[in-house]
Amino acid sequence: MVPHLVTALSGPLLDLEEKILAATPAIERWFRLEWQEHTPPFYCSVDMRNAGYKLAPVDTNLFPGGFNMLATEMLPLSVQAAMAAIDKYCPDARNLLLIPEVTQRHPTYWQNVARLMQIFRQTGLHVRLGSLSREVTAPTPIALPDGNMLVVEPLVRSPNGRRVGLKDFDPCTILLNNDLSAGIPEILQNIHEQSLLPPLHAGWALRRKSNHLNAYDEVCKKFGKLIGVDPWMLNPLHAKCDAVNFRTGEGYDCLAANIDTLLAKIKKKYKEYGMKDQKPFVIVKPDAGTYGTSILTIKDSSEIKDLTQAQRDKMIVIKDGKEVTDFIIQEGVPTFESIREAVAEPVVYMIDRYVVGGFYRIHAEKGIDQNLNAPGSQYVPLAFAQQHAVPDLKAKPGTAAPNRFYVYGVVARLALLAASLEMERTDPNPEVY
């Protein structure tokens, strides 16, 4: 299933798709060589926007929480990828401790946890859940919508203080499905004898989107040179502002200046590609954080000073009540894909360096220039489930679903490679490698 794409704007994208498909051998060799030099994140999801004139990632999540949204046909591939990932860190692993989010109450999140447990159990691991919540002081059952049950247990530190596990469970590997927005808990610090994945500096307590975007700039320049395309076709322009206070208005001048600069650059690109009717916009969002909170769509810098009190309040606090002052300004990439008359965007999931599936996020109440990761969004599994379907180099651009999905996978892996570079460069203890 390929969603409807506005044909009037599909020309440049079809050209991009054609170039990527024609360069498939070179692209796969390039990725293979890059992964010899860099270690991919343990797992990752990438939100993308298909504008017809460009296809670009707009968010890269190192603690993906939607594995239950993937097509069940992709489970075997997910298991194989998980085996490859675990082998890198603990080849003889027997026990895996999975640490989920603390504040999540929604049953679909726990279905994601159940799917992760299913994947790793099929790799031959014993999997149990350990909670960072102080409220969990004994094994606590959590009911799932399908009638199954999960049990979360309190974490304990080993007598020597060097390991973390459960009362009667000593894992080789600890897998975080908690993005650490609330900070790095003491019990996870100074772990020296186990693999903690992803590493602590991947969490939002330390991670910054601006570092990722800078790494992605580099990756896109190399990739654009490899296949002969303008990197802008794959990369949203961006800028950064620190010390912004939406209560007092401090930092508004920085936001306005960077918005004006980005809008001018986008207009120049539109003119270069003859897109006279396209109106540029930017997205203002926190430099750290996720869950689609604290996001503004801006079409003119004057809008910053005219925000309502409700809009300003929304920009002050993110997940887990954390106040935010550092923001990025990112080129707005409209989505020109739709499913059942609702705007749609692809989200691609990876374990290690392998694409293991994805879904379309759709929202019937949002526009093409708005954030779709909001209450009311729905999910449609991507047809990556067609495992037998490989790219058809003879197909007319834009007509073959496997071709479209292969291109999605290539762009997602570019973001994955950027995340790898980002993690290397921001590691507080690089000598561990």
Side-chain angles (χ1 to χ4, degrees):
M1 179 222 14
V2 177
H4 174 67
L5 178 67
V6 178
T7 54
L9 289 172
S10 63
L13 183 67
L14 299 186
D15 181 57
L16 175 65
E17 180 180 297
E18 195 169 23
K19 286 187 175 179
I20 288 177
L21 291 170
T24 295
I27 290 170
E28 295 306 323
R29 179 178 183 274
W30 180 75
F31 273 124
R32 205 166 60 245
L33 294 175
E34 290 292 333
W35 294 131
Q36 290 177 16
E37 299 293 327
H38 309 287
T39 301
F42 187 83
Y43 54 9
C44 177
S45 68
V46 178
D47 295 7
M48 288 189 286
R49 303 283 285 215
N50 183 346
Y53 57 86
K54 74 187 296 177
L55 175 65
V58 293
D59 193 46
T60 302
N61 185 1
L62 299 181
F63 299 86
F67 278 92
N68 56 307
M69 305 295 184
L70 306 186
T72 55
E73 293 89 343
M74 298 309 294
L75 269 175
L77 182 56
S78 298
V79 172
Q80 290 174 351
M83 284 181 177
I86 287 289
D87 282 349
K88 288 183 179 179
Y89 298 96
C90 194
D92 58 348
R94 177 177 298 175
N95 296 333
L96 175 74
L97 177 64
L98 178 58
I99 299 180
E101 290 282 354
V102 171
T103 57
Q104 280 286 354
R105 298 289 185 267
H106 203 285
T108 56
Y109 173 74
W110 292 107
Q111 288 175 308
N112 156 73
V113 172
R115 174 62 65 84
L116 277 172
M117 294 180 74
Q118 180 185 11
I119 289 170
F120 287 102
R121 280 173 174 160
Q122 290 187 36
T123 69
L125 293 170
H126 298 288
V127 187
R128 286 167 66 177
L129 299 177
S131 178
L132 291 169
S133 173
R134 295 178 181 176
E135 298 175 4
V136 177
T137 57
T140 304
I142 296 174
L144 298 177
D146 60 7
N148 289 318
M149 192 80 69
L150 297 178
V151 177
V152 293
E153 304 175 64
L155 296 175
V156 296
R157 199 84 184 213
S158 65
N160 67 7
R162 297 175 67 87
R163 300 177 71 85
V164 169
L166 306 177
K167 184 179 179 181
D168 57 351
F169 189 73
D170 183 24
C172 169
T173 305
I174 302 168
L175 179 62
L176 289 173
N177 199 241
N178 181 313
D179 63 21
L180 305 179
S181 292
I184 300 175
E186 185 177 355
I187 197 167
L188 294 183
Q189 297 178 27
N190 301 311
I191 296 176
H192 302 292
E193 297 179 356
Q194 295 160 295
S195 296
L196 182 62
L197 304 167
L200 294 178
H201 67 285
W204 288 122
L206 298 174
R207 187 184 178 214
R208 296 296 177 264
K209 295 175 185 176
S210 51
N211 291 328
H212 177 77
L213 295 176
N214 290 335
Y216 188 72
D217 285 345
E218 295 179 35
V219 169
C220 266
K221 287 176 183 176
K222 291 174 68 175
F223 184 77
K225 188 175 181 180
L226 175 73
I227 68 169
V229 300
D230 182 351
W232 176 76
M233 292 284 189
L234 303 159
N235 191 8
L237 302 171
H238 62 92
K240 178 185 175 183
C241 280
D242 298 334
V244 177
N245 189 323
F246 277 90
R247 281 198 185 94
T248 65
E250 180 185 358
Y252 277 15
D253 289 343
C254 176
L255 284 177
N258 278 286
I259 289 169
D260 284 336
T261 299
L262 273 189
L263 288 173
K265 289 181 178 179
I266 299 167
K267 285 180 182 177
K268 186 176 179 181
K269 279 294 182 182
Y270 287 173
K271 185 177 180 181
E272 179 183 341
Y273 287 98
M275 296 185 294
K276 298 178 181 178
D277 298 328
Q278 195 66 29
K279 303 297 182 184
F281 67 98
V282 298
I283 302 294
V284 177
K285 56 187 177 182
D287 199 12
T290 184
Y291 283 87
T293 56
S294 305
I295 294 176
L296 288 174
T297 299
I298 301 290
K299 297 178 181 178
D300 189 280
S301 62
S302 63
E303 295 174 33
I304 286 292
K305 297 179 181 178
D306 297 331
L307 294 175
T308 65
Q309 185 63 50
Q311 287 174 314
R312 290 198 298 271
D313 290 344
K314 186 181 75 168
M315 300 301 290
I316 293 169
V317 177
I318 56 173
K319 184 188 170 194
D320 292 329
K322 290 291 181 179
E323 292 207 7
V324 57
T325 58
D326 297 347
F327 289 85
I328 59 169
I329 305 100
Q330 192 174 39
E331 175 188 350
V333 182
T335 178
F336 279 89
E337 292 187 278
S338 62
I339 296 176
R340 299 193 292 269
E341 298 184 359
V343 291
E345 64 184 13
V347 183
V348 175
Y349 272 59
M350 290 160 286
I351 297 177
D352 197 67
R353 60 192 176 102
Y354 305 101
V355 174
V356 297
F359 52 81
Y360 284 107
R361 180 185 290 118
I362 65 174
H363 205 303
E365 298 175 7
K366 296 291 185 179
I368 62 172
D369 59 354
Q370 292 180 299
N371 169 45
L372 304 188
N373 189 10
S377 59
Q378 296 178 303
Y379 305 92
V380 178
L382 275 164
F384 282 118
Q386 300 177 23
Q387 295 185 57
H388 63 279
V390 296
D392 181 0
L393 301 184
K394 296 180 181 180
K396 184 179 178 181
T399 62
N403 289 0
R404 173 72 57 81
F405 299 142
Y406 174 73
V407 173
Y408 287 164
V410 168
V411 176
R413 284 183 289 162
L414 294 178
L416 183 74
L417 178 56
S420 175
L421 298 177
E422 171 199 359
M423 289 296 99
E424 290 173 12
R425 294 169 184 176
T426 57
D427 188 351
N429 300 298
E431 69 275 7
V432 172
Y433 288 97

